[in-house]
Amino acid sequence: MSSALLELRNAVRPFLENLSAGDCAIVAVSGGADSLALAYALIKEAPDLAINLIAVTVDHQLQSGSADQAAKVQVELKAMGYQEVIIEKVSVKEESGLEADARAARYAALDAIAKAYGATQIFLGHTRDDQAETVLLGLARGSGTRSLSGMAVLNGKYARPFLQLTREQIVAACNEVGLKPWNDPHNENAKFSRVRVRNSVLPVMESEIGPGIAAALARSAAILRDDADALDEMAQAVISRVDLKDLDCAALAELPRAIRSRVLRAAIYSAGAPGGSLSADHLSAVESLVTSWHGQGEASLPGGVKVARISGRLSLLARP
């Protein structure tokens, strides 16, 4: 067995070993090198552990010929040894940007299939290079600790065994075993910010600063994830003993800002703001009601949530 292939199989095996014999797991396969290599490594390891694998390829219907491409992926996966390969068509509503909306539609489809089949794990093929890109995009947006911590190796049902492997390692393994990945045209379209980071920003950083940038960014993400987890835990301890609809401003002001912002965010979402809708400006407006009070009016937030300071307390209500 080649060293590249051994690295892939060694990466997936611990995740499979954490499952129980007879469990069902899903692998998401676009047909690109990362997901094809993941599917290959899993199908080689899963039978020994009696894990039932289902491959899913999501057709976003965003490009002409997408149905044909999905069918080709299905054929390749069947030849690889998968008995069940699902082609799931989704409709992408372009509301928050094509990349984000396509991702949301894809994850919703995977969640629905996992629920229907009782799958305990959903495998994704993200690599260390993807992690580096995610961190850089977060930095460009001025994101906080949680966003800068990148993608988790394990997040609920979702598992990313290849986060410590490079795209170069994945491609080498594909070449060694004769896999023929599909090159998605969207991955070369410079209108997408991730593509610009991948093809322009990271290469310049490697050239001008030195090699190892992607690895360094991935290490930073891991460190920040530990910090974010600790801060979330401390904030949760506060959240568990307060009424999120009626918060004492003096008590909030005494909290470290990192904890206070998490409590405020939880309160706003609890009041009805849509998930992921809060910006730094939204949170800053609510923060000022606590720490820079000068009689200002209520803060209007997504989802019709209104936050007002009344008699030294924050009142959060959802209004149509």
Side-chain angles (χ1 to χ4, degrees):
M1 187 186 303
S2 70
S3 60
L5 182 56
L6 185 61
E7 288 171 337
L8 266 59
R9 293 181 64 166
N10 285 342
V12 303
R13 190 168 184 87
F15 292 86
L16 293 171
E17 288 175 339
N18 283 334
L19 303 179
S20 300
D23 277 356
C24 173
I26 286 171
V27 54
V29 187
S30 67
D34 302 342
S35 60
L36 265 188
L38 176 62
Y40 184 89
L42 286 168
I43 201 65
K44 293 299 181 184
E45 293 290 330
D48 289 345
L49 300 168
I51 305 299
N52 299 316
L53 289 176
I54 297 174
V56 177
T57 185
V58 177
D59 178 5
H60 299 86
Q61 305 183 87
L62 294 173
Q63 303 176 62
S64 61
S66 65
D68 291 338
Q69 173 55 34
K72 289 178 183 177
V73 174
Q74 185 180 49
V75 169
E76 186 155 11
L77 289 166
K78 289 276 190 178
M80 201 181 284
Y82 282 84
Q83 295 185 354
E84 184 153 14
V85 181
I86 298 170
I87 297 176
E88 187 72 9
K89 291 186 177 182
V90 298
S91 297
V92 178
K93 299 178 181 178
E94 295 189 42
E95 297 173 346
S96 304
L98 187 59
E99 287 177 290
D101 292 330
R103 181 170 55 251
R106 180 168 62 253
Y107 278 66
L110 292 171
D111 285 339
I113 293 170
K115 183 177 181 180
Y117 283 83
T120 55
Q121 198 98 89
I122 302 172
F123 288 99
L124 304 174
H126 297 111
T127 67
R128 191 173 73 186
D129 299 85
D130 295 309
Q131 186 77 301
E133 293 160 12
T134 299
V135 174
L136 277 181
L137 287 167
L139 284 169
R141 290 192 297 265
S143 298
T145 312
R146 176 55 66 191
S147 291
L148 294 179
S149 67
M151 297 174 285
V153 174
L154 272 175
N155 183 14
K157 281 186 170 66
Y158 287 93
R160 298 178 174 91
F162 288 174
L163 274 188
Q164 298 303 316
L165 300 179
T166 67
R167 194 168 289 132
E168 184 178 1
Q169 288 173 292
I170 301 299
V171 171
C174 287
N175 290 336
E176 287 178 9
V177 299
L179 297 178
K180 297 178 180 178
W182 172 57
N183 293 315
D184 185 347
H186 279 171
N187 289 337
E188 299 300 325
N189 190 335
K191 79 175 184 179
F192 298 120
S193 55
R194 183 174 288 273
V195 172
R196 296 194 297 275
V197 167
R198 178 181 304 150
N199 294 341
S200 300
V201 178
L202 273 170
V204 168
M205 292 179 71
E206 292 273 353
S207 172
E208 298 299 322
I209 300 175
I213 293 297
L217 288 168
R219 284 196 301 273
S220 293
I223 293 168
L224 288 167
R225 179 164 294 279
D226 288 342
D227 291 349
D229 288 345
L231 290 168
D232 286 350
E233 186 175 340
M234 287 186 276
Q236 190 57 47
V238 176
I239 291 167
S240 66
R241 60 176 185 264
V242 299
D243 179 357
L244 291 177
K245 293 182 180 179
D246 182 34
L247 295 166
D248 185 292
C249 291
L252 285 172
E254 291 178 358
L255 295 172
R257 183 173 181 177
I259 305 301
R260 182 171 60 247
S261 66
R262 284 165 166 77
V263 174
L264 292 175
R265 190 180 296 273
I268 295 164
Y269 283 132
S270 177
S277 64
L278 293 182
S279 68
D281 288 341
H282 291 139
L283 203 58
S284 178
V286 179
E287 168 82 12
S288 69
L289 293 174
V290 177
T291 60
S292 301
W293 173 245
H294 52 270
Q296 64 265 44
E298 65 185 17
S300 297
L301 304 173
V305 174
K306 307 292 183 182
V307 185
R309 177 165 174 157
I310 303 171
S311 300
R313 305 188 72 83
L314 280 190
S315 175
L316 294 93
L317 295 171
R319 299 175 187 168

